[in-house]
Each structure stands twice: as structure tokens, then as C-alpha cells.
């Protein structure tokens, strides 16, 4: 198809939408390291994981071999409510930057959860329902994942118990109300509904909570209530599998119009969006069929890939979850205040960590103020108000496009625009008022946390 | 095309998108009554209107004859950033209601302004730019229109001065920040930047403002600053013309798949969305080619069509604007607190008023709590969190679908889903807490305001 017939926004026909998730682990010669039991340091078995997660999800978590997973029809139906997501040519941004580069972005924010999180939430809710469970539990910080899961549970008629970090519960009442619209119960954490919550409240009266504490409460609630399981919105192999729908859809659209990206960029917190976007392209690179540059963009305040160590660590601050081998800053590392809640995770998906370790993936970190400058510049020409998380990818894509202006190269840049910033306006306000913090941890600080990593 | 090939969501190809706006006035045998000069009570001339509005927009405002206006290429480019909007088959809602009816909705909320307002904002900004103006002024209450205009002005490099009702400015800091992202200056009204603002502040120290006052400040700023004009987001003929893009796009999509709506429903405040959605269908009805039922849905607290009088009235509370013949509750009618800010207007578009007067259009009013019940039921099955305004149409569509269940008729119902409720979660919170007000004005109250209408 000629370039002139490429639309401004590419929406696949429903008949062209992906019918399968792509499991990049199948094409990795060296597989990501297995999860370890935190007590025995031996690989977690399916039976051990079944107490916490749904059976089908445990299977997906442990399966390093199946290349394609057919997406169940019920999930396809749900996807059709908000997918395909558009692949947009950023003509206005190109013009503003006066770059010869061609910039495309895959926009995942056009659904009420406001981000790509819904892609995995619906899968996890579906398998819980199919297993005959009553409900699921989870934690949420900023609220995107909790919102996505509430929507999915509402659709399948599943109970949804969300532990929301107390400070967010109080400061983000709107996120809380959205979850209630979808019928979720939202409990500020720490709470007196769990033993771990009561213990923390007794030891730290007046605490405003943490993600680690909320995870611990959600896990305890899942394992102590018959018919409940715990679900998680990032980091896990299964989540990257579900999120591959982003990349597969992007690749079908690009192939349809003969577009070949040179550079693929995504923001990276736990890795769910980046892992999903790059998956099928990475598969081609792993199989030696094509080459691409992949760039993970993380906040300078929480630089797990660029400044962390590749080691086994706890997936949660509460140290109740299995050990995962990943680039990590240490499970009790608390990043300086920043407004990209989705990128404040201390570690990185084991799949992406292993790919980075193999040199298949680059990583950079960017300071917060520069990210918001890029976000505002993008919004003014492309219309969409981006989430702070997504704006990390915008910043990196703009820098690459400016480099093209300098070298005269007409590279094709693809980035993931994971979500919208409608619930992040406190952050934009701070940016407008010049109150943004660009703190970057010192080497000494990072070394202190790294020294506390579990000995495996 | 067979029913089996109709996608869940219909997105037109870019090549199929409307190239023109449709002017329903051209097909009306009795035209809407002209605007009158508030001093002389004679029809406003183009020269009089030119001081306030851009020249091209004045032409559009007064033109009752031209059926189709080609959409300028610059506006088409902007439309391609967020249009086509999807026409969605509400399969899940139908299943929930166990209705034989087929329900479709045209969803206008997938852009950062969160509503259909952007369709006219970009047109008004474009014509201002083309005329060589420096900027535009406007007022905003809840902030949707102000956001849309900020986005459009940012795109065309036009200054944008927004007067925001002070109570909203303080209670809705997020809307305010979105406008700032797009470079607008946002002033809480009343302010000391205008004579009318200073007068009101002197007379009513501590007032939290009103839409009428904000309009007066915006108009004064436009006429007293060279290179500025005033723009308005609803009510006017020109706005309905631009919003016809909703209806034309819907009709092209329905014609493509051989879908024939029986009932077309929209919420009605000033009439911009309803007038735009029904325009081309109404044209067929006016020309005697086809028949449709059209239903305007208004809040019971502000029932201009269902309980107002058809008479000349001031378009604004401040009584500085021209007189318009419309269904009105009186320009100083203040509705009881309700959360559909976009439906709190005392009057109704002159075009829709005349069509209603001719019996071409039905109107109903619905109480607020029932609207939020419908909104939540819709969100839980269709995913999208609807704006309170849009939810009036949802409520009416659900009621029609339930009627079909009772009669066994498989009618095709189309409604306009004008926007999202991401900035309306205070309202949802009140709904969840059982604090929603369902006040309906008494006949005596309405008679009191009607008695004060200007004598024309």
C-alpha cells in the first residue's frame, strides 16, 4: 500500500484484530530466571502458586515454551469494547520538531481505566471467573490498575476487593469513586481487615501506608478467603503475555501499511506496557529475522534498569511474595516523590530484565521536569493530555526525533502512549507552579539498598 | 452489507469522513426567529454582530439557506486527530435489559476535552485565526467548553482568555489546570480585569460568580481589546452547524451498514449536541423523505422545552447579549443544584426551539437520581464512565429499550453519548452517598420567572 493511503490514525478492522497473545519467552534462548520460594530458595511450583493465583494464570506464568496463546472469545468480546487502539502518526509533533523522522504512537488511553492496564485486568478476571472463583483481591497505588480491575470484574460479575494505599485513598478520591462506580470495594491500607494491617497499624499509628503494605493485605485476604485469588497488574510473566496484544496489534497495523519502525520506545515501571509493546518485534530480533532498537525509559528518581543490580529480590516491600531475578534497587527502596506512580516500582519484569541483561534492549532515565515539558509540548500539538508515565516515552521519542533533525536521518520512531493524565492534574499544577522535584538518588544511597538484597 | 459484518464499533475510514457541515435551517419551511438587538428589538445585522463575533461565523449565524458548508481543510486535519468518533452497538446493555431493541450510541468523549464541544471550538478558533485575530474570549462553568477552546487555540496559535465561574475555578482545579496545559489564561469570575467584574465585586463582595457574569466579562474583554472576539459553545446557529459533523458522520456510518434508526435521543442543555446529532436525519424528515422520532432529554430541574415558554429572551443572565426566540425559563432562572453543568442553561437553541414548536421533536425531562442510576448501570456493562449530561440520554434510551421488551418490538435506538465523567466524580460520590438532590421547580416558581421575560 502506498504511503499516501496511510491514514492519520490506523484502526484495524475487527476482523484484523489479534486472536492470540505472543509469549516472547518462547523465543528467548536463555529464559528469564524462575521465581523462587522465599523460604526454601527453590523454584516455585505450580502447586505453591495455585494458592495465590488462578490455575490458568499459574500455567501462563510458568510456561516458557508456548509461543502463541489463543485469546478466549469472552476476552476478545471485551477487547472489542475498547480495542483496537489507534496507531497514530504524530504529524503535528513532527512539524513542531522540524524533524525528518516519522513518529508513530500506539495510544492505549481511550478507555475509562485510562491506560493499557485493562488488557491484563480482563484476562485475569476472566480466568478467575472460569475457575468458579467468587472474587479477586489486589492493591493499587495511584489507582489505574484498581480501576481497570474493577471494570473487568464488573463485566464478569466477580467481586473485587481493592486495597488502596491510604495516602492515595485520601488524596485521590476520584479514582476511588470510579472504582465504586464499577462495584469494587475499596479499603484504605493499612486497615484493620487483615492481620498484617492490624500489626502495621499497631506499630505505626497514623501511617499513610505503602504499596508493599497494600500488597501484603491483598495477598492475605486472597489466601484467607475461600474462592478468592490475588491478582497483580505488572511485573509478572503472565501480565506481559496479556499486554502483548498491544504489540501484536501494532505490528499487524504496521505490516498492513508497510511501515517499518527503526526505534521502539516505551516507559518502564514494572514493564507491563514496554514488554507488551515490543514483544512481537523482539521476537523477530531474537529469531534473527529483523533488527530494531528498543529503548526503555525510566524516571531518574527510580532507575532500576540503568542503575540497579541484576539479582534475586522480593517482588514486594512486605517480602511475602516469591523472589524474582530482576534489575532491582532493593525491595525497600522508596523513590523520591515523583508523579509517575506507575513507574515507582523498585524492580523490573524478569523478562525485560533478562533481555536487558542480554543486550537486546537499551535503557535510559529522564528527570521529571523535562518529562512534563515534553508532555505539555505534546498535548499542545497532538491534543491528548498524556499521563506522566507515558510522557517518559514522549520525552525519549522527541529526543530521538531531534537527533534525526541534526543528522538528517528519516528514521521511523514508534512509542507507546500508555494512558491519559486526567487524574494527574495535581502533578501538572506543581509543574506549572515550578514545584517539581528532580531528585536523583546518589550512588551511596543505592549501594545501601543493594547491600540489603537477599542472599540467594 | 449483511448484519453479520457490522462491527461492534463502527469507525469510518478517513476517506469516508464528512467533508461538509449540514445546515438544517435550509430545510426548515419556517425558519428560526432572528436574533434581536436588545435595545431596538430589530433583527441584529451582520455589522452589529461583527463587533462581537468573527465575520465568517456571523455569516454562518445568519445564513438560513445554504444547505451544506464545506469544512475547511485545516479543520478537517484537526478533526482527524480525534475523529471519526465510534458508533457503538451496545450489545452488553441490550443483554442486560433483555430487550429486543438494537441500541447504538455515537461516542464523542474520546478526546482530551472529554466531549463533543471540540467540534465547534476548532471551527471557531480557525475562523478567528483566518481573520487575523490575536485571540478569543469565552466563559466556562464546569470547564468542558473552556478546555475544548483551549485545545483548539493552542493548535492554531491563538490567545485564549477564559473567564471561569469563581466557584468552579476553586472547586474544579483540575479543569483549570488542563486549560493551562493548553496555554489558556484562566481568570476566576467576577474579576477586577473588567468594568462589569469590578462593579459586581463592589456590589457583592465575596460572590462566587455566575455564568451570566462570566459571559459579561468575556464579552467586555472581547469588544474592548483590539484583535479579540467572543466565542460561545452552544445555543447559537453556528454551533449547531459545526456540531452537525456528529450527525453526518453517524448517518454515513449507518447508511454504510444499512442501519435505520427508529428513535434518536440526545440530552439537551443549550442544544449543541442534540442539534448536531439529529441534523441530517431531521433534514430527511423535513423534506418528507423519511420519518424518525427525535427525543430531547432535559433535567427535571431545568426543563426549558418541557415546561418553558416559547418567547424572546436574553441569551445570558447579564442581559448584554441579543434576544433570541426560544423555549426559556427566563434568563435569571437558576436551577436547583444538579451535576449536569452542561444542561443548566435557562433556554434552548432557537433552531431546536422552532423544530419543537413545529412538533418535529419530542421532549422529556428526567430526575437526577434516576440519571445516575442509568449512568452506573451503563458503565458497568459498556465500560465507559459517562458524563452526567450524556447520562440523561442513556436514561431515556434505556427506558425506550425496556418499553420494547414489554411490547416485543425490535426498534433501533440511537443516542448521543456526548462525553466522559472523569471530572464529575464529586457528583458520583454524592450519588453513592445518597446525597443527590431531585428538586423540581414548582409551577409557581416557573410562572414568576416567566412573568419577567422581556416584552417584545
Amino acid at each position: 500500500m502506498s504511503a499516501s493511503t496511510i491514514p492519520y490514525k490506523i484502526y484495524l478492522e475487527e476482523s484484523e484484530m489479534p486472536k492470540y497473545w505472543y509469549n516472547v519467552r518462547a523465543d528467548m534462548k536463555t529464559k528469564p530466571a524462575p521465581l523462587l520460594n522465599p523460604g526454601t530458595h527453590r523454584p516455585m511450583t505450580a502447586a505453591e502458586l495455585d494458592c495465590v493465583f488462578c490455575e490458568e494464570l499459574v500455567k501462563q506464568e510458568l510456561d516458557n515454551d508456548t509461543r502463541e496463546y489463543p485469546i478466549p472469545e469472552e476476552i476478545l468480546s471485551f477487547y472489542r469494547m475498547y480495542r483496537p487502539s489507534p496507531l497514530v502518526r504524530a504529524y503535528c509533533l513532527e512539524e513542531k520538531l522540524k524533524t525528518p523522522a516519522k513518529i508513530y504512537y500506539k495510544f492505549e488511553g481511550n478507555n475509562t481505566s485510562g491506560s493499557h492496564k485493562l488488557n491484563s485486568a480482563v484476562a485475569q478476571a476472566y480466568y478467575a471467573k472460569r475457575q468458579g472463583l467468587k472474587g479477586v483481591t489486589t492493591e493499587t497505588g495511584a489507582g489505574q490498575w484498581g480501576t481497570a480491575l474493577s471494570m473487568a470484574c464488573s463485566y464478569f460479575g466477580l467481586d473485587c476487593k481493592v486495597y488502596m494505599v491510604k495516602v492515595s485513598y485520601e488524596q485521590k478520591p476520584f479514582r476511588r469513586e470510579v472504582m465504586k462506580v464499577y462495584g469494587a470495594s475499596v479499603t484504605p491500607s493499612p486497615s484493620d481487615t487483615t492481620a498484617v494491617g492490624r500489626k502495621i497499624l499497631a506499630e505505626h499509628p497514623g501511617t499513610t501506608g505503602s504499596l508493599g503494605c497494600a500488597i501484603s493485605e491483598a495477598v492475605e485476604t486472597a489466601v484467607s478467603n475461600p474462592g478468592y485469588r490475588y491478582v497483580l497488574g505488572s511485573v509478572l510473566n503472565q501480565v506481559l503475555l496479556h499486554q502483548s496484544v498491544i504489540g501484536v496489534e501494532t505490528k499487524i497495523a504496521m505490516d498492513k501499511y508497510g511501515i517499518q519502525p527503526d526505534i521502539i520506545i516505551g516507559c518502564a515501571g514494572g514493564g507491563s506496557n514496554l514488554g507488551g509493546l515490543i514483544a512481537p518485534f523482539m521476537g523477530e530480533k531474537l529469531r534473527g529475522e529483523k533488527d530494531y532498537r528498543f529503548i526503555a525509559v525510566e524516571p531518574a528518581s527510580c532507575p532500576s534498569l540503568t542503575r540497579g543490580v541484576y539479582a534475586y529480590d522480593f517482588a514486594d516491600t512486605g517480602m511475602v511474595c516469591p523472589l524474582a531475578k530482576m534489575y532491582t534497587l532493593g525491595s525497600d527502596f522508596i523513590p523520591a516523590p515523583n508523579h509517575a506512580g506507575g513507574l515507582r516500582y523498585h524492580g523490573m519484569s524478569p523478562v525485560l530484565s533478562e533481555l536487558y541483561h542480554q543486550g537486546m534492549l537499551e535503557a535510559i532515565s529522564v528527570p521529571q521536569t523535562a518529562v512534563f515539558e515534553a508532555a505539555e509540548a505534546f498535548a499542545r500539538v497532538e491534543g491528548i493530555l498524556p499521563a506522566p508515565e507515558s510522557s517518559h516515552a514522549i520525552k525519549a521519542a522527541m529526543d530521538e526525533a531531534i537527533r534525526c533533525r541534526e543528522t538528517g536521518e528519516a528514521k521511523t520512531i514508534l512509542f507507546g502512549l500508555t494512558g491519559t493524565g486526567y487524574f494527574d492534574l495535581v502533578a501538572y499544577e506543581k509543574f506549572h507552579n515550578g514545584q517539581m522535584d528532580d531528585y536523583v538518588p546518589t550512588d551511596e544511597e543505592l549501594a545501601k539498598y543493594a547491600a540489603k538484597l537477599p542472599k540467594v
Side-chain angles (χ1 to χ4, degrees), chain A residues 117-169:
Chain A
K117 294 281 180 187
L118 198 52
N119 298 328
S120 183
V122 60
Q124 298 195 45
Y126 166 74
Y127 290 117
K129 184 72 181 179
R130 209 186 62 176
Q131 194 176 323
L133 298 175
K134 274 194 260 179
V136 292
T137 71
T138 200
E139 77 293 334
T140 201
Q144 279 168 312
W145 166 248
T147 307
L149 190 67
S150 304
M151 291 173 68
C153 286
S154 159
Y155 181 83
F156 287 117
L158 211 58
D159 187 37
C160 181
K161 295 184 193 297
V162 180
Y163 286 90
M164 188 170 187
V165 178
K166 190 181 269 174
V167 62
S168 296
Y169 182 91

Side-chain angles (χ1 to χ4, degrees), chain A residues 112-396:
Chain A
T112 289
S113 82
S115 81
H116 66 292
K117 294 281 180 187
L118 198 52
N119 298 328
S120 183
V122 60
Q124 298 195 45
Y126 166 74
Y127 290 117
K129 184 72 181 179
R130 209 186 62 176
Q131 194 176 323
L133 298 175
K134 274 194 260 179
V136 292
T137 71
T138 200
E139 77 293 334
T140 201
Q144 279 168 312
W145 166 248
T147 307
L149 190 67
S150 304
M151 291 173 68
C153 286
S154 159
Y155 181 83
F156 287 117
L158 211 58
D159 187 37
C160 181
K161 295 184 193 297
V162 180
Y163 286 90
M164 188 170 187
V165 178
K166 190 181 269 174
V167 62
S168 296
Y169 182 91
E170 284 162 3
Q171 289 181 355
K172 298 205 166 188
F174 293 169
R175 279 284 189 201
R176 186 181 78 204
E177 285 307 317
V178 180
M179 289 184 256
K180 286 186 182 172
V181 166
Y182 292 95
S185 73
V186 187
T187 306
S189 168
S191 74
D192 60 6
T193 66
T194 65
V196 65
R198 287 188 292 272
K199 181 161 177 286
I200 290 169
L201 284 172
E203 287 169 5
H204 308 278
T207 176
T208 54
S210 72
L211 206 54
C213 170
I215 293 178
S216 305
E217 289 204 82
V219 172
E220 180 186 321
T221 302
V223 298
S224 60
N225 279 283
Y228 282 79
R229 291 293 185 282
Y230 169 70
V231 296
L232 186 64
S234 193
V235 185
L236 297 173
N237 297 341
Q238 59 186 268
V239 175
L240 264 72
L241 176 68
H242 307 146
Q243 293 295 358
S244 72
V245 72
I246 306 172
V248 175
E249 207 176 86
T250 303
K251 191 157 188 323
I252 293 171
M254 291 196 137
D255 287 349
K256 178 176 175 181
Y257 290 97
I259 305 162
Q260 171 79 13
D262 299 298
I263 308 172
I264 305 179
I265 299 170
C267 62
S272 69
N273 143 70
L274 179 69
L277 175 66
I278 68 175
F281 301 97
M282 181 61 84
E284 289 186 316
K285 184 164 174 168
L286 287 165
R287 294 191 302 270
E289 296 165 8
K290 280 191 187 164
D291 196 18
Y292 303 96
R293 276 184 69 199
F294 300 105
I295 306 176
V297 192
E298 48 187 23
S301 58
C302 193
S304 56
L305 281 176
T306 50
R307 297 178 67 201
V309 293
Y310 190 38
Y312 267 103
D313 194 8
F314 289 95
D316 63 316
T317 320
M319 304 186 185
V320 298
C321 292
L323 295 167
K325 189 173 179 189
M326 55 185 179
Y327 279 86
T328 180
L329 299 165
S331 68
D332 56 355
F333 175 80
I334 306 285
N338 75 47
H339 298 287
L343 305 184
R344 292 172 56 84
Y345 187 63
H346 66 278
M348 181 58 64
S349 132
V351 172
L352 290 181
S353 291
E354 177 56 30
L355 288 168
Y356 182 63
H357 185 65
Q358 293 176 17
M360 303 298 286
L361 181 69
E362 302 167 34
I364 60 171
S365 75
V366 287
Q368 188 164 229
T369 302
V371 165
F372 275 82
E373 282 163 2
E376 189 161 282
F378 177 85
R380 289 187 180 189
V381 292
E382 291 290 322
I384 297 166
L385 182 78
E389 291 83 354
S390 323
S391 304
H392 286 69
I394 294 174
K395 166 65 179 159

